[in-house]
């Protein structure tokens, strides 16, 4: 289930807010410049679906977002336990970092958690199929796909070569709960 949990950056044990209401999530995140929307993600995709099949299945909403937010390209990331190097892939995004352009993802299948560090708070956004999240350029954040990842996302880019992560050097991510079946709803 999609979920927003807000913590003081100094206390990962006691959330200030927790909600699974998509309208409240969107409104609360909008106050810090984060776009959260619910899209229709009911197109069934076989396990064998490649990136082109995923992009074709969601061509209309992809086109709308690209036009509205001036993204020039999109790609697909599909991660399962069978993905080669899944543990190192997870570790790559578990440290706080920024990007020099917006990071936008639409979850087609599965789930993952974004942790956004702004205004002396950490906003954990658990995204699932149907969730679109866009984090503005320069916003400190990290992503946890969980110890047993299973998700497909469409990523959007403003440059043809995509973006790269710039580590902030802050160790804050180590103080917050990991994403997973036992931690998605409990902190």
């Amino acid at each position: 289930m999609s979920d927003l949990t807000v913590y003081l950056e100094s206390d990962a044990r006691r959330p200030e807010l927790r909600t699974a209401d998509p309208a409240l999530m969107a409104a609360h995140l909008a106050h810090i410049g984060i776009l959260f929307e619910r899209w229709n993600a009911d197109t069934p995709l076989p396990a064998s679906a490649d990136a082109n099949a995923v992009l074709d299945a969601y061509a209309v909403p992809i086109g709308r977002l690209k036009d509205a937010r001036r993204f020039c390209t999109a790609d697909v990331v599909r991660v399962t336990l069978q993905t080669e190097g899944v543990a190192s892939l997870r570790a790559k995004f578990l440290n706080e970092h920024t990007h020099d352009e917006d990071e936008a993802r639409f979850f087609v299948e599965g789930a993952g958690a974004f942790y956004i560090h702004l205004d002396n708070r950490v906003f954990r956004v658990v995204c699932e199929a149907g969730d679109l999240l866009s984090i503005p350029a320069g916003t400190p954040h990290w992503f946890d796909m969980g110890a047993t990842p299973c998700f497909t996302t469409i990523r959007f880019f403003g440059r043809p070569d995509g973006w790269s992560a710039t580590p902030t050097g802050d160790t804050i991510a180590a103080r917050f709960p990991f994403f997973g079946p036992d931690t998605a709803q409990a902190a």
Side-chain angles (χ1 to χ4, degrees), residues 75-97:
D75 73 4
V76 174
V77 175
R78 184 173 244 175
V79 178
T80 68
L81 284 176
Q82 289 71 45
T83 301
E84 190 173 321
V86 71
S88 62
L89 183 62
R90 179 186 187 202
K92 178 179 176 181
F93 297 107
L94 280 177
N95 291 313
E96 187 181 71
H97 59 276

Side-chain angles (χ1 to χ4, degrees), residues 46-108:
S48 61
D50 65 6
N52 288 332
V54 174
L55 293 172
D56 287 347
Y58 292 96
V60 171
I62 288 170
R64 279 195 301 255
L65 186 66
K66 285 169 79 174
D67 290 345
R69 303 290 294 253
R70 299 180 190 218
F71 291 118
C72 68
T73 189
D75 73 4
V76 174
V77 175
R78 184 173 244 175
V79 178
T80 68
L81 284 176
Q82 289 71 45
T83 301
E84 190 173 321
V86 71
S88 62
L89 183 62
R90 179 186 187 202
K92 178 179 176 181
F93 297 107
L94 280 177
N95 291 313
E96 187 181 71
H97 59 276
T98 62
H99 302 288
D100 59 359
E101 69 172 85
D102 293 358
E103 177 172 1
R105 288 192 190 192
F106 171 59
F107 279 76
V108 173

Side-chain angles (χ1 to χ4, degrees), residues 30-48:
H31 284 289
I32 59 166
I34 307 296
L35 173 68
F36 176 84
E37 293 180 348
R38 290 285 302 155
W39 288 6
N40 187 1
D42 61 359
T43 302
L45 296 169
S48 61

